[in-house]
Amino acid sequence: MRDIALTLFVFGLIPYILMRPYVGLLVWSWFGYMNPHRLCYGFAYSFPWVQVVAILTFVSIFLNKEMRRIPKSPVSILMILFFVWTTFTTFFAAETDSAWQHWNEFSKTLIMVWVTLILVNDRRRMHMLVWLIVVSLGFYGLKGGLFTILRGGTQTVFGPAGSFIADNNDLAQALCMVLPLMQYLRLHSQGRLVRAGVGLSMLVTGVAILGTYSRGGLVALAVVSGVLFLKSRRRIALIVVFAALGYVGYHFMPAPWLERMDTLQHARQVNTLQTRIQSWEFATNVALHHPVVGGGFDVYKSASMWRNYGPEGAQSRAIHSIYFRVLGEHGFPGLVLFLGLLFASWRSCARIRKMTRHSLEQRWAYDLSSMLQVSLIAFMTAGLATTSSYFDLSYQLMAMCLLLAIITSDQKAKSLVRENAAPALSVASGQKEVAAYQ
């Protein structure tokens, strides 16, 4: 039944996608974040929905003549350079077949990001994209939070199978990244019930993060809570939400959860954290011996590379750090480009905050840039212990940092034109009145 419902829904959207390519981008992002087909059990589960929607979106772009150049900025340039560099390192990958498969997945992610750079050109479209991200990932926040409450926190919350957020740690990271966007919508939604609903969703999503049993997710949640408090307005609701989360974590979550979180105090004594540290050492050794190109995508899957560069007695496993993973897979140039991309995105938002700090008309841009910075902090903090270096949401958020700067500058320019035109109109009107009097 779910398969039929999803098929009818998507096929019913085809005329709208062909008329408005931006609708195609929203549907494309919906499949990327919510993965509704992974909630089905029949033919829809493995059907190539993303490819179909992507093709329709490109057809619509050409039909509606919305093809524009990708905006030039440090963010877009670094993103292109990072993609070019990962392509170059893939030719020297230790695991050739796996590396090219991963490169193919990463290229699809960046194609969606580049389409975002082409199609999102005003506040309304940006606002709709934020809603789409929040609804898509917030679904798993609500679902996971209710599951945690009903089961008393005794079972781990996971994301949909076969997706970027299938792992509990990756799901916790994604939910931490979406919390600031929820706060933006809470600040700028019109209806009181909508604002209250978003606030409640933040609380339940926070419970879902606890329910993932992710230690990195807990650390990221704590950091996000503090930064969100510092960078946001209307903080009383935030205090209530985070105080409630603290109470749930301490008094509601069962003993196994408390014991697992307690291991953060003595990380080197815990086997899982020890193996993660070993994966960092492995990535570092690979980069030191192959400083330019690294080991290519999925280098950790190579048994020979582990024998040569893994620490003594290490267990081969994925590199659980977005930074060490990029370092091991793409060498020091790849890491520099990756960190530069994060820094450029942050700086773009910082300039927006400075430009719009005292503007009531652009308060929305000030708040959104602040929340995008908090989302980046969530990605960078939780990423210390996750494998999600190529998570599609992180790159789309970086693109949104660039687009918000362009939209804000255009809006400010139009406002200045209106202000300058007003005196001229007054003078012209006065001259007409004098002429009529004479």
Side-chain angles (χ1 to χ4, degrees):
M1 190 65 182
R2 294 183 183 182
D3 300 73
I4 297 174
L6 178 63
T7 302
L8 292 175
F9 178 73
V10 174
F11 276 84
L13 287 174
I14 289 178
Y16 297 96
I17 295 175
L18 293 176
M19 289 188 295
R20 298 180 178 87
Y22 182 68
V23 175
L25 174 63
L26 293 179
V27 179
W28 191 349
S29 301
W30 179 55
F31 274 101
Y33 299 133
M34 187 175 174
N35 295 271
H37 54 303
R38 299 303 184 188
L39 302 176
C40 299
Y41 302 102
F43 68 90
Y45 182 90
S46 57
F47 188 81
W49 296 106
V50 175
Q51 291 89 326
V52 171
V53 175
I55 292 172
L56 290 171
T57 302
F58 277 111
V59 170
S60 181
I61 288 173
F62 286 107
L63 289 177
N64 293 278
K65 299 180 181 180
E66 289 209 32
M67 178 60 72
R68 294 186 297 273
R69 291 182 179 180
I70 295 176
K72 290 184 179 180
S73 82
V75 175
S76 58
I77 292 172
L78 284 168
M79 193 175 293
I80 292 172
L81 288 176
F82 185 58
F83 174 67
V84 171
W85 187 254
T86 58
T87 303
F88 175 70
T89 61
T90 305
F91 285 100
F92 305 92
E95 290 290 310
T96 306
D97 293 339
S98 180
W100 280 112
Q101 182 178 353
H102 203 130
W103 175 88
N104 184 51
E105 294 173 358
F106 185 47
S107 63
K108 291 177 181 178
T109 293
L110 291 187
I111 288 173
M112 182 182 74
V113 173
W114 292 330
V115 171
T116 302
L117 290 172
I118 292 171
L119 294 179
V120 178
N121 53 14
D122 57 31
R123 177 184 177 180
R124 182 181 64 85
R125 290 188 174 186
M126 178 71 77
H127 193 72
M128 290 173 64
L129 181 58
V130 173
W131 264 113
L132 187 280
I133 294 171
V134 168
V135 170
S136 298
L137 291 172
F139 170 79
Y140 293 105
L142 292 174
K143 182 172 176 287
L146 293 175
F147 177 82
T148 300
I149 294 171
L150 294 175
R151 297 298 177 92
T154 58
Q155 297 183 28
T156 304
V157 175
F158 294 96
S163 68
F164 268 114
I165 56 174
D167 182 76
N168 64 316
N169 297 296
D170 294 333
L171 176 62
Q173 181 183 34
L175 294 181
C176 285
M177 292 171 67
V178 84
L179 277 176
L181 300 182
M182 290 181 173
Q183 173 64 1
Y184 163 75
L185 293 178
R186 194 183 71 83
L187 292 173
H188 290 276
S189 295
Q190 297 297 323
R192 182 178 299 179
L193 289 178
V194 175
R195 294 195 298 269
V198 173
L200 180 61
S201 298
M202 292 178 67
L203 174 60
V204 179
T205 298
V207 175
I209 295 171
L210 300 180
T212 61
Y213 276 67
S214 171
R215 289 163 293 200
L218 179 65
V219 173
L221 178 60
V223 172
V224 167
S225 301
V227 180
L228 198 57
F229 180 80
L230 293 174
K231 284 186 170 288
S232 184
R233 300 181 293 113
R234 300 179 185 176
R235 297 169 179 168
I236 295 178
L238 291 178
I239 294 174
V240 173
V241 168
F242 295 133
L245 287 176
Y247 180 86
V248 169
Y250 189 78
H251 293 283
F252 178 78
M253 298 303 287
W257 185 89
L258 294 173
E259 293 172 0
R260 181 173 175 82
M261 299 304 116
D262 185 59
T263 59
L264 287 169
Q265 301 180 25
H266 38 83
R268 287 190 174 271
Q269 301 176 17
V270 181
N271 183 56
T272 56
L273 291 178
Q274 282 182 326
T275 57
R276 290 185 180 186
I277 294 172
Q278 289 174 348
S279 73
W280 302 347
E281 295 176 0
F282 164 73
T284 303
N285 290 336
V286 171
L288 290 174
H289 287 83
H290 304 274
V292 179
V293 297
F297 283 114
D298 294 344
V299 63
Y300 63 89
K301 293 183 179 180
S302 172
S304 62
M305 295 292 279
W306 271 99
R307 285 194 301 269
N308 293 331
Y309 305 117
E312 186 177 352
Q315 301 177 15
S316 60
R317 67 171 303 172
I319 304 170
H320 277 69
S321 167
I322 59 174
Y323 312 104
F324 284 104
R325 180 170 187 179
V326 171
L327 175 64
E329 293 183 341
H330 308 295
F332 288 97
L335 180 62
V336 170
L337 290 171
F338 181 69
L339 294 177
L341 183 53
L342 290 170
F343 177 75
S345 302
W346 177 276
R347 285 292 301 159
S348 180
C349 289
R351 286 192 291 269
I352 298 169
R353 280 169 51 84
K354 183 178 180 180
M355 182 173 60
T356 60
R357 187 180 300 274
H358 304 295
S359 172
L360 291 177
E361 182 183 3
Q362 295 185 315
R363 179 59 59 85
W364 72 275
Y366 177 83
D367 288 332
L368 182 54
S369 61
S370 301
M371 295 304 100
L372 286 172
Q373 283 186 324
V374 182
S375 291
L376 289 175
I377 288 176
F379 173 67
M380 292 185 287
T381 304
L384 289 168
T386 66
T387 63
S388 55
S389 305
Y390 317 106
F391 183 28
D392 48 3
L393 176 60
S394 61
Y395 293 91
Q396 192 162 39
L397 290 178
M398 295 175 200
M400 291 167 66
C401 295
L402 162 59
L403 291 168
L404 184 59
I406 296 173
I407 295 170
T408 304
S409 297
D410 290 345
Q411 192 178 54
K412 187 173 183 179
K414 292 177 181 177
S415 178
L416 290 174
V417 169
R418 288 196 300 269
E419 291 176 2
N420 293 332
L425 290 174
S426 299
V427 171
S429 177
Q431 291 175 343
K432 288 182 179 180
E433 291 179 2
V434 171
Y437 177 77
Q438 291 175 342

